[in-house]
Amino acid sequence: MQANFDIQALLSKIEASDTFNIVDDEVALTGRDFCLLVAQKCDELSAMGLGNNDTVLVQLKNSVEHVAALCALWKVGVFTAIVKNAVKASYINKLIEKFHFNFFLSESTMVNAIGKNSNGEVIDSNLQGFAGIRFNVNHNALSSLKQVADLGIFSSGTTGEPKLILHKLDRVLRNSWLHTKSVDMRCSDRVAIVLPIFYSFGLIANLFGAIQSQSTIVMCKNSNQIMGKLGEWLQENAITFASVTPHIVKLLIAQRPALNIRTLTIGGDAINKATLLRVLKLFDKTEIYCTYGLTEAGPRVSTYKANAQHLINLTKVPLGEPLDGVSLSLANEVDGVGELVIETPTKMVGIAVNNSIVELHLDHRLNTGDFFSRLNGGFAFSSRSKNIIKRAGEKIYPSEIENVISEFTQSEYVRVTAQQDPILGEVPVAYIEAATPFEVTELKRYIRSQLPSSCIPTEFNIVERLPEPLLDKSL
């Protein structure tokens, strides 16, 4: 399998491929037919007046048409910023005003809603699934980024305000290639695209990893609607390779489908040891990989190939091995816990928070903001910096408490978060979806046997369902 870090070279490879196919609910294309669709969309984009001086904001869905449109945007040479589709017109208006995009592509209903409240010109288009608006922008600092960036992916970061993570296309295609090697994705696989392609993992690792591998790609257009029957959908589509989040894998545990999946990858949030052991037991003929990454890194960083015999002797799930060319270290380490620092050739080239570039990243070093502890010569996740609980000057890492509670209660759904305290500053409180009853007194005693007393939550909230803000990013 040859690596390709240029969009034209990658398309040429799948055009000649005997194994590549891409399908959704409405269309099924071979590699040659898909490349013809991309060429058609290039002509349609050019007819709309799009060229390499444009900065385009585009809403993407999990469909063959949208994947072809994205490839065409890159072939035409525009700077492309991707935003999720399930947002209001007011949010799109905010992004256009904040970042001075001079073109917006989306479905006609959204384009018309934006057009009514802007000075933009709605462009008639033959581009199936899309309409467009051109805005008159006198100065657009983002347009100068074409020299260093091709792609922007939005992230809210720690402030809640949208910021644009800027990438070069050759770097993200390299990252997708490294991902396929780390999880053994093959041309014979039928790869499910369940995760949204407006997120970095769904787009770069999942989708373009499958393109790099010349696999058959099966697009799930309505992921939210089929989550309750995801196991059935995977069976019906003869999926052999799927990527999910810890939240989605917990749904699969509840459904207990008889799957014939060769490989399952789990990422997007930390998974606790107890849940991973259940996954390994339920899917005992499936290779399970736990993946770590972040949008700023390209996104993929490391991979742990799960093994029950190895995992049973550990306290937490390991970070695993870094991808080829990636190195990991801890900074400002205290008592074996520090911030993870990455050196990676696929790091972002910059960040923008408005139409001015806040910072360019010319080196390969990235401080993640994620804290890890040392574990058997490697690392294991402790907490994101924003989630660390500061109790009377002591740092408490929620995931360590969650792992212990999950092991005792046999619950996949546990979250520990901070609660303000007038004396201590912050204290941990726990939320638990418990399938079977347990004694809180016994749980406290178990936590005390595993962790310092300061880690015992002051409250244990037994809930039917975790509050939405406490669930991981699933779709």
Side-chain angles (χ1 to χ4, degrees):
M1 187 167 59
Q2 181 182 357
N4 285 275
F5 308 140
D6 169 82
I7 189 64
Q8 183 55 59
L10 185 58
L11 289 170
S12 296
K13 180 174 77 170
I14 65 174
E15 183 176 18
S17 172
D18 294 328
T19 60
F20 178 84
N21 295 274
I22 184 166
V23 305
D24 60 24
D25 296 341
E26 299 175 357
V27 65
L29 300 179
T30 64
R32 182 175 182 277
D33 290 337
F34 177 75
C35 289
L36 289 174
L37 180 60
V38 172
Q40 175 187 331
K41 291 191 180 299
C42 285
D43 293 339
E44 292 164 354
L45 289 170
S46 297
M48 296 172 75
L50 279 169
N52 57 14
N53 290 322
D54 289 308
T55 58
V56 177
L57 178 66
V58 59
Q59 287 188 297
L60 287 183
K61 289 186 175 182
N62 285 19
S63 76
V64 174
E65 289 283 346
H66 282 223
V67 175
L70 177 62
C71 291
L73 284 165
W74 284 336
K75 280 195 67 177
V76 169
V78 302
F79 174 85
T80 306
I82 297 170
V83 63
K84 58 185 178 182
N85 50 58
V87 294
K88 296 180 179 179
S90 58
Y91 182 76
I92 297 296
N93 278 322
K94 177 181 179 179
L95 295 181
I96 292 168
E97 180 180 349
K98 190 179 184 72
F99 293 94
H100 292 195
F101 297 109
N102 68 343
F103 211 94
F104 174 59
L105 277 175
S106 184
E107 293 182 332
S108 58
T109 51
M110 178 62 81
V111 166
N112 290 331
I114 299 295
K116 289 179 181 178
N117 300 296
S118 72
N119 60 356
E121 175 192 2
V122 177
I123 306 295
D124 291 332
S125 167
N126 293 321
L127 192 65
Q128 186 171 342
F130 287 100
I133 304 178
R134 179 175 290 280
F135 300 94
N136 294 320
V137 178
N138 293 326
H139 172 71
N140 186 357
L142 286 178
S143 63
S144 64
L145 279 179
K146 188 62 190 123
Q147 299 177 16
V148 293
D150 308 295
L151 169 66
I153 298 176
F154 283 100
S155 171
S156 59
T158 57
T159 64
E161 283 296 308
K163 62 179 181 179
L164 196 56
I165 309 301
L166 306 169
H167 282 286
K168 282 291 288 181
L169 187 55
D170 62 338
R171 291 192 182 190
V172 298
L173 292 180
R174 178 183 294 273
N175 191 272
S176 68
W177 165 254
L178 294 173
H179 169 70
T180 65
K181 293 174 63 180
S182 74
V183 296
D184 189 28
M185 191 182 288
R186 304 173 185 175
C187 64
S188 57
D189 278 320
R190 288 179 62 84
V191 179
I193 308 296
V194 176
L195 301 176
I197 62 172
F198 49 72
Y199 286 138
S200 58
F201 185 94
L203 175 69
I204 298 166
N206 201 185
L207 175 63
F208 275 89
I211 293 176
Q212 291 273 19
S213 299
Q214 304 177 56
S215 307
T216 292
I217 298 172
V218 184
M219 309 287 296
C220 182
K221 295 182 71 173
N222 299 300
S223 297
N224 283 320
Q225 295 180 16
I226 62 99
M227 275 301 128
K229 297 182 178 180
L230 178 60
E232 291 182 18
W233 184 88
L234 295 171
Q235 286 177 293
E236 290 169 359
N237 288 278
I239 298 300
T240 64
F241 192 110
S243 296
V244 297
T245 65
H247 174 62
I248 297 175
V249 88
K250 291 164 188 174
L251 297 177
L252 286 175
I253 291 173
Q255 294 169 25
R256 303 184 68 84
L259 297 180
N260 191 30
I261 288 185
R262 185 182 69 83
T263 304
L264 184 70
T265 77
I266 307 170
D269 198 6
I271 186 169
N272 63 53
K273 171 186 170 181
T275 300
L276 184 54
L277 285 172
R278 292 187 194 103
V279 174
L280 288 165
K281 183 177 180 180
L282 181 60
F283 305 117
D284 59 344
K285 294 182 174 59
T286 299
E287 291 185 346
I288 309 291
Y289 294 89
C290 297
T291 64
Y292 171 77
L294 59 166
T295 301
E296 292 87 341
R300 288 279 285 107
V301 172
S302 65
T303 307
Y304 170 62
K305 186 175 182 179
N307 177 284
Q309 290 182 332
H310 176 253
L311 186 62
I312 198 71
N313 296 314
L314 302 177
T315 56
K316 293 190 289 186
V317 177
L319 177 62
E321 296 296 320
L323 303 189
D324 288 349
V326 177
S327 62
L328 309 172
S329 61
L330 296 184
N332 304 316
E333 188 175 346
V334 177
D335 296 329
V337 179
E339 182 184 5
L340 186 70
V341 178
I342 302 167
E343 292 272 352
T344 174
T346 64
K347 179 189 166 187
M348 63 183 174
V349 294
I351 302 175
V353 296
N354 51 40
N355 69 312
S356 299
I357 304 168
V358 173
E359 55 186 63
L360 286 177
H361 289 253
L362 303 179
D363 62 3
H364 291 165
R365 180 183 173 89
L366 179 65
N367 289 63
T368 64
D370 291 341
F371 282 75
F372 283 74
S373 58
R374 294 193 178 275
L375 180 74
N376 286 37
F379 305 115
F381 181 75
S382 291
S383 177
R384 291 193 165 88
S385 58
K386 64 179 181 180
N387 296 332
I388 294 175
I389 300 168
K390 300 177 178 64
R391 180 188 183 277
E394 177 186 1
K395 290 182 178 179
I396 295 175
Y397 303 100
S399 71
E400 296 183 351
I401 308 173
E402 291 166 359
N403 281 330
V404 174
I405 294 176
S406 181
E407 189 170 12
F408 180 87
T409 63
Q410 296 297 297
S411 171
E412 280 88 29
Y413 291 93
V414 178
R415 276 292 182 269
V416 172
T417 187
Q419 180 173 282
Q420 295 300 312
D421 183 272
I423 298 174
L424 299 174
E426 292 179 336
V427 293
V429 297
Y431 295 83
I432 308 166
E433 287 185 32
T436 56
F438 64 89
E439 290 291 334
V440 171
T441 303
E442 292 298 319
L443 173 56
K444 287 182 177 180
R445 185 177 294 116
Y446 185 71
I447 296 173
R448 186 178 287 109
S449 72
Q450 304 292 316
L451 298 169
S453 295
S454 56
C455 293
I456 300 175
T458 58
E459 294 180 13
F460 292 86
N461 300 286
I462 314 304
V463 297
E464 290 186 5
R465 180 174 173 80
L466 288 180
E468 201 65 32
L470 298 182
L471 292 171
D472 63 43
K473 180 175 68 177
S474 57
L475 290 178

